[in-house]
Amino acid sequence: EAQVTQNPRYLITVTGKKLTVTCSQNMNHEYMSWYRQDPGLGLRQIYYSMNVEVTDKGDVPEGYKVSRKEKRNFPLILESPSPNQTSLYFCASSPSSGENTGELFFGEGSRLTVL
Amino acid sequence: SQQGEEDPQALSIQEGENATMNCSYKTSINNLQWYRQNSGRGLVHLILIRSNEREKHSGRLRVTLDTSKKSSSLLITASRAADTASYFCATDAWGGSEKLVFGKGTKLTVNP
């Protein structure tokens, strides 16, 4: 089944404790992206990647890092989480060619709480 | 910064009625997309309409695009309780689909 898989789905952590949210897609998509969703603010893009070893900042990259060493994986790293990073995070992928070009396929989300 | 803005923010209708949601945006686009999100779940792509298209259909969905007014509408006909969800428009402003920008969404409730 074609899917985008995020882990963990739920996490409660404390300020300053490094964490990684993993994202993996099995559709051989070139493009991957991370969004955060907050009440009243909608979805905001954190980072995106056009292909392996190619990443770029979205609208709200502060406090986050990403890497794209393999095509299928795009982990989101919070080096020193703070309470304002409490949010619902979504990973998404998209093909860069073909019938579904530009259409995002989303994971189920990772709800992160930073105390 | 937000590119698309959906209107209304919330909409409540009875099953069988049609639901219309609107999206306005600010800059030129290559395409506009609509997504659906069930509460707390991932977004699901519904339909993509390109800037040179004026109308597109998919099942009970009808999307229109007016580039002169920088607006789009999503019509769901003969709504069902299962259509209850939030609906988002997304635009690919600033030159490419790598920075797809979402609006804040319309929360649709379809009452049985």
Side-chain angles (χ1 to χ4, degrees):
Chain A
E1 181 189 352
Q3 58 186 1
V4 178
T5 303
Q6 298 179 224
N7 279 296
R9 294 287 315 281
Y10 302 91
L11 179 64
I12 300 174
T13 190
V14 295
T15 299
K17 186 176 181 181
K18 180 180 178 180
L19 69 93
T20 299
V21 186
T22 63
C23 174
S24 181
Q25 51 94 4
N26 62 1
M27 295 168 281
N28 201 36
H29 288 168
E30 292 82 9
Y31 176 88
M32 297 184 75
S33 182
W34 276 101
Y35 289 85
R36 60 178 288 175
Q37 185 176 32
D38 302 288
L41 296 176
L43 276 91
R44 294 178 293 168
Q45 189 180 46
I46 303 170
Y47 269 95
Y48 65 93
S49 170
M50 299 296 289
N51 214 323
V52 176
E53 301 292 0
V54 181
T55 63
D56 209 344
K57 296 177 181 178
D59 294 318
V60 288
E62 295 79 19
Y64 304 95
K65 285 174 58 177
V66 292
S67 68
R68 187 91 182 274
K69 293 183 169 53
E70 305 164 283
K71 198 171 188 179
R72 63 184 293 127
N73 295 323
F74 190 43
L76 179 69
I77 303 156
L78 286 73
E79 292 272 2
S80 183
S82 62
N84 65 11
Q85 292 178 297
T86 293
S87 188
L88 179 58
Y89 290 87
F90 288 101
C91 179
S93 70
S94 174
S96 297
S97 61
E99 182 183 351
N100 300 112
T101 299
E103 298 175 13
L104 288 174
F105 293 74
F106 280 83
E108 283 296 304
S110 295
R111 187 168 292 281
L112 171 64
T113 301
V114 183
L115 302 175
Chain B
S1 59
Q2 298 301 128
Q3 161 73 334
E5 288 287 336
E6 290 90 346
D7 170 61
Q9 289 186 327
L11 179 62
S12 182
I13 60 174
Q14 296 300 123
E15 223 169 13
E17 294 180 340
N18 295 341
T20 299
M21 289 158 271
N22 302 298
C23 171
S24 59
Y25 57 92
K26 297 173 184 169
T27 65
S28 297
I29 60 171
N30 294 313
N31 64 63
L32 184 145
Q33 304 182 45
W34 285 91
Y35 288 80
R36 164 199 170 120
Q37 182 184 33
N38 286 44
S39 182
R41 304 290 298 275
L43 282 75
V44 176
H45 180 267
L46 295 176
I47 200 163
L48 180 153
I49 185 165
R50 304 193 187 283
S51 59
N52 61 353
E53 297 175 310
R54 291 297 166 258
E55 188 171 311
K56 205 161 181 180
H57 297 254
S58 177
R60 292 183 297 112
L61 305 180
R62 173 178 168 248
V63 169
T64 61
L65 179 63
D66 187 334
T67 53
S68 67
K69 295 181 179 177
K70 292 187 169 61
S71 68
S72 173
S73 67
L74 170 67
L75 168 67
I76 304 174
T77 59
S79 62
R80 306 165 182 168
D83 294 328
T84 294
S86 291
Y87 293 82
F88 296 86
C89 69
T91 53
D92 66 344
W94 301 294
S97 59
E98 64 267 19
K99 291 182 74 69
L100 202 62
V101 179
F102 288 80
K104 296 179 184 179
T106 291
K107 187 175 175 65
L108 172 67
T109 302
V110 181
N111 301 298

